[in-house]
Amino acid sequence: VKIRGYPVVVEGKETEKWEILLDSPEVKLNIEQIPRADRPHSNRLLTKRLDYHINQYIMNDCSGTMAVEFENQQVQNIDFTGYGYCEHCWGVQPRQSTAHWLHFWSDSMAGVIMNCFYDEGVPHHYTYLWLPSLEEHYLFSPAQFHFDPLKPDSSWQIKSPDLELVVTPFYKETNRMRIPPILSYIKIDYHELFVKICGRAIIKGKEHPINGIGKYD
């Protein structure tokens, strides 16, 4: 179900609890997120043409209810619990940019893997892991993303000296935006995948298995 023209409302305080609300004819949604980490992960991307700041609430407990009305006018009510993620970004990005982001969650850890490249030839990247024991770790970066945009349904890998992941998509959304539509000066190709991941990370010489879900942009 695709919802257009109805706002998503976010209420609450990010460091404590917040609600995500949607009320449309097709979908009614009420989600509550409570952060597990005691503070967000913060990072600043700063180059000659880029001034961008990001706060990531990397692992949250998420629960809620959803009512979906399908084309045959049947309504399905769904209660759910799971992982949540909140990200707040502000700033300016250059026009010529390539970015790979993977956020993932599992019972043992959550993580953000990023590898971006901007038009003045300056890369920005990090691999950040958070464990339920409130330990934070940076691994070697940049990690190599082997995603093929011509085969968005296929499994692919993310590799670095201390990280090996196999990424398997189970839902994809692809958009190509041209702004304005005629004589465009902004062109964006955007891939969004919901994925299953499995693999391992090496932290201080110890192997940690990873088996969870994630979102790739």
Side-chain angles (χ1 to χ4, degrees), residues 56 143 213:
Q56 295 164 323
I213 60 173

Side-chain angles (χ1 to χ4, degrees), residues 25-46:
E26 296 89 1
V27 177
K28 300 185 187 303
L29 185 66
N30 188 320
I31 301 174
E32 180 180 274
Q33 288 202 51
I34 299 175
R36 288 194 195 179
D38 59 352
R39 64 183 183 276
H41 169 248
S42 298
N43 205 282
R44 188 180 185 193
L45 291 71
L46 181 63

Side-chain angles (χ1 to χ4, degrees), residues 29-177:
L29 185 66
N30 188 320
I31 301 174
E32 180 180 274
Q33 288 202 51
I34 299 175
R36 288 194 195 179
D38 59 352
R39 64 183 183 276
H41 169 248
S42 298
N43 205 282
R44 188 180 185 193
L45 291 71
L46 181 63
T47 68
K48 185 186 299 183
R49 302 182 189 177
L50 171 72
D51 190 355
Y52 200 71
H53 199 102
I54 184 168
N55 279 349
Q56 295 164 323
Y57 295 84
I58 192 168
M59 182 68 156
N60 311 303
D61 290 318
C62 179
S63 61
T65 59
M66 178 169 59
V68 181
E69 181 175 325
F70 296 96
E71 292 182 357
N72 59 7
Q73 296 185 336
Q74 289 186 340
V75 177
Q76 183 175 0
N77 295 294
I78 303 169
D79 296 328
F80 60 89
T81 59
Y83 305 117
Y85 176 84
C86 177
E87 182 176 279
H88 181 67
C89 312
W90 60 98
V92 176
Q93 287 197 19
R95 288 182 185 169
Q96 299 298 322
S97 304
T98 300
H100 296 275
W101 296 74
L102 176 75
H103 317 102
F104 74 85
W105 313 269
S106 70
D107 291 334
S108 60
M109 71 177 71
V112 177
I113 308 168
M114 183 181 77
N115 188 2
C116 303
F117 196 81
Y118 299 103
D119 57 356
E120 60 272 354
V122 177
H124 189 91
H125 48 81
Y126 58 81
T127 297
Y128 171 80
L129 302 183
W130 181 87
L131 281 71
S133 59
L134 300 184
E135 296 179 79
E136 298 176 298
H137 297 278
Y138 283 95
L139 300 187
F140 179 91
S141 69
Q144 299 300 311
F145 286 75
H146 294 272
F147 171 71
D148 184 350
L150 299 179
K151 300 177 181 178
D153 294 314
S154 299
S155 295
W156 46 279
Q157 294 181 312
I158 298 176
K159 288 186 175 182
S160 74
D162 46 13
L163 181 71
E164 295 178 1
L165 295 178
V166 175
V167 182
T168 303
F170 61 86
Y171 178 81
K172 73 175 187 298
E173 183 74 19
T174 301
N175 289 304
R176 175 166 287 182
M177 291 180 281

Side-chain angles (χ1 to χ4, degrees), residues 154-209:
S154 299
S155 295
W156 46 279
Q157 294 181 312
I158 298 176
K159 288 186 175 182
S160 74
D162 46 13
L163 181 71
E164 295 178 1
L165 295 178
V166 175
V167 182
T168 303
F170 61 86
Y171 178 81
K172 73 175 187 298
E173 183 74 19
T174 301
N175 289 304
R176 175 166 287 182
M177 291 180 281
R178 299 291 182 259
I179 307 172
I182 300 175
L183 300 177
S184 305
Y185 58 89
I186 297 177
K187 302 177 183 179
I188 302 171
D189 290 333
Y190 179 67
H191 297 272
E192 182 177 50
L193 308 179
F194 291 95
V195 299
K196 298 177 181 178
I197 63 165
C198 63
R200 63 174 188 158
I202 307 297
I203 301 174
K204 296 182 179 180
K206 182 180 178 181
E207 181 175 311
H208 294 259

